[in-house]
Amino acid sequence: MTSQEIRQQFLNYFKSKQHQIVPSAPIVLKDDPTLMFSNSGMTQFKDYFLGYKTPSSPRIADTQKCLRVSGKHNDLDDVGRDTYHHTMFEMLGNWSFGDYFKKEAIDFAWELLTEVYKIPKENLYVTIFEGDKKENLERDNEAFGFWKTHISEDRIINGNKKDNFWEMGESGPCGPCSEIHIDLRTAEEKSKISGLELVNNDHPQVVEVWNLVFMEFNRKADGSLEKLPNKHVDTGMGFERLCMALQGKSSNYDTDVFTPLISKVEQLSGAKYTGILENEKDIAIRVLVDHIRAVSFAIADGQLPSNNGAGYVIRRILRRAISYSYRFLNMKEAFLFELVAVLKNEMGDFFPELVKQEKLITEVIKEEENSFLKTIEHGLVRLEIIINETLKNNQTILPGNQVFELYDTFGFPADLSRIIAEEKGLSIDEKAFDEEMLNQKTRSKKSSTQKIYDWEILEEKEQEFVGYDKSESETFINRFRKIENKDGIFYQIVLAKTPFYPEGGGQIGDKGFLIPSYAADFDISNPDLFNIKNNSEVIEILETKKENNLNISLIKDLPKDPGALFYGKIKNKDRQNSEANHTATHLLHEALREVLGTHVEQKGSFVGPDYLRFDFSHFGKISDEDLELVENKVNQKIKENIALQEFRNIPIAEAMEKGAMALFGEKYGENVRLIQFGSSKELCGGTHVKNTGKIGHFKIQQETSAAAGIRRIEAISGEKSSDYFKNLEYEIKEISHLLKSKDLAKSVEKLLEENTTLKSEIESLKKEKAKSETANWKNDFREKEGKKLLVKKVNLDAGSVKDIVFQLKKEMKNSVIIILSDYDEKPMITVGISADLETKYNAGNIVKELAKGIQGGGGGNPGFATAGGKNLAGLENAYQKALEI
């Protein structure tokens, strides 16, 4: 049975049990502040468990793309070293939201595994929660009773809280769980030791295949448990492990989920995969085929590699793969990008994003590979300097702090440093390295750590967002909670009726004020806001974000009476400017597709009151002519004063029929909001102007590369655009005044001609000065045993120094010339060797040694070399060192 057939059978089975089959959610999470990536099948359904949203069906099934590389669930270090851990994996799951519970979940699982998939019953074991006295939780006798009808009691194992009480994180929905384990060993192996003794003991052939979680509780921030309003079922079955079991393999990597990728790696690298766990080449190949899946799906879902957040995690995974291929497969050139086509062919039918985004994924990975391979080459040069310095000092241990700097600052893999050091008979000061790593983690943790307290519920009332229609509303606080972070103590509040738009869809969240009802008419634009008569208490809204389907606003101080009646007022000017910029991104998107082609797709955006940033797929720099055409098209739509057509809460199928554009990487519900301005139609939750004329004017400021295959446009509109032209007009007047001319082009042309003439004269003067300096410097040479040395500190530019050195090399036989310059307060060292000494001395080697004193580097050839640096004060040390040559 192929992996595609296994997946389809799972979905068909649950469809026959009245489950709605839903598509996998994006692997990258954009609206959940608690998680970067979907790390389990239940992630996209969290709001249903908490009661914040109502599911479209009480029974749902799917296969969910998951990524476990950070936080509580982190499998990265195990990948490649065993047969069953992965970064990206598929989680087959079925859910019940307040419908069926333990009995049905257990019956379904047993029937599917034993009757549909025909797994021998004697190969299966199950675990149940044994209870926990500290939590006042009893043994799950209910699940035990249901399992007894299917499997003998001696195959039902008690499991502790770690193994059999599933929790999403530090807080949130949780409950006892029942795991199904499968024994894949041979009959001979089973006769030696029972599978009972190997369950949950990390045996590669006795593995958990399915986890049935019975969601009954919500873990609060204070650690206590409270009952959920309804009982739910959340199951997760590892697709790759299931394929291993059904295809009769002893490793996930031997199934057809991975073998096509492994074959391609063998073809490209020349390495042969043997499947041996400890073999370094085999470990590397397993790492590559696992990591390419994780990176490809993340890019397809809109997360590009970068230096922070989720982008950093993706870059780290990809660089880990490149490092393994470089170290163990001897692959010195980019090749991982060629695996994308294989992955698309194998999984594209079920995950169409791989087909649609294949070119983008391929280009991004190729560019990242080339970039990191250069980083490795540069790191090798730096490591060589560290090694040479260590050997020169008769040491055998490389400084751990320097090796860590190579890793942390330059991205050079620490494992590669260790390997190269060992080849030279050296080791690394691991204690110092670990201390630096710990210090970095501590700094990072301190900057990101925050303590979140439990919600204080004032009134159980569903929140209403009125921000599409109103900029203010009468309201009160439903709930609040305290948070503590590096900036101090703050409070998050949920308003019963809120006009504040939460950050999302690229648009920043609203700021504003909570004003007591008796001061509701107060003008919030008044600069003396906080000095209102009658000591009215005004609370500033610092930001607004979305979490668990709630718009949450942040404030510094809690009102004296949190239960009082307030007026919520947004900062109208900021909102209006943001709306203009957001609508402008829609018009820009359409214009780009018209000018460049329909391959253009939004890949990210930022919309604030001051400017907009728009990232999109396109493989090349946009010409000035095309940029001007795009800008003109947007401004033409603005002039047409096109009215907003808004379709709220309509079925997604209806929106698509109307021509709406859906973006890959976005999670859409069954009902969506369609924003239309003429022919521009997009699914969008942001706020917009009522007609395009409100934008005023649109001006592109720059177009750059954001990543491989991704271009970025930054632009302004409305008030900011008006200010731009006012400032431009002012600058033109100032320049005209300075040049005493209204014909600026002609005046600048004249200045350039004069500048060229003056430069030529200066160069001539420099050469004359160099000639005179050369004559003077001949007297400064030191002579010893027939060889001459000149070491001189000067304040001359690089060109002049070069001319002098070459002149002296010609005229002074058997000479070494070293010039140290502090021109323009930048240290520079120049070394010249006369032709008759080039076999004895090497200018490049000398300059590298001297450059250490100025914290720099450089090079050249045996006869001439230069180096620049950062440490001006180090020139004195370099001078003394030069005299020793």
Side-chain angles (χ1 to χ4, degrees), residues 473-477 514-517 537 559 561-562 564-568:
S473 67
E474 186 177 64
T475 189
F476 55 88
I477 298 174
L514 268 189
I515 300 172
S517 57
E537 187 182 16
D561 179 9
L565 191 64
F566 293 93
Y567 272 83

Side-chain angles (χ1 to χ4, degrees), residues 152-188:
S152 62
E153 291 185 27
D154 61 349
R155 287 176 173 267
I156 305 173
I157 306 164
N158 285 336
N160 57 27
K161 183 182 168 189
K162 176 179 175 290
D163 291 325
N164 282 87
F165 193 87
W166 197 91
E167 305 201 44
M168 185 180 64
E170 297 300 323
S171 61
C174 56
C177 62
S178 190
E179 297 174 344
I180 305 173
H181 295 253
I182 186 166
D183 188 347
L184 300 172
R185 296 174 301 152
T186 63
E188 183 183 356

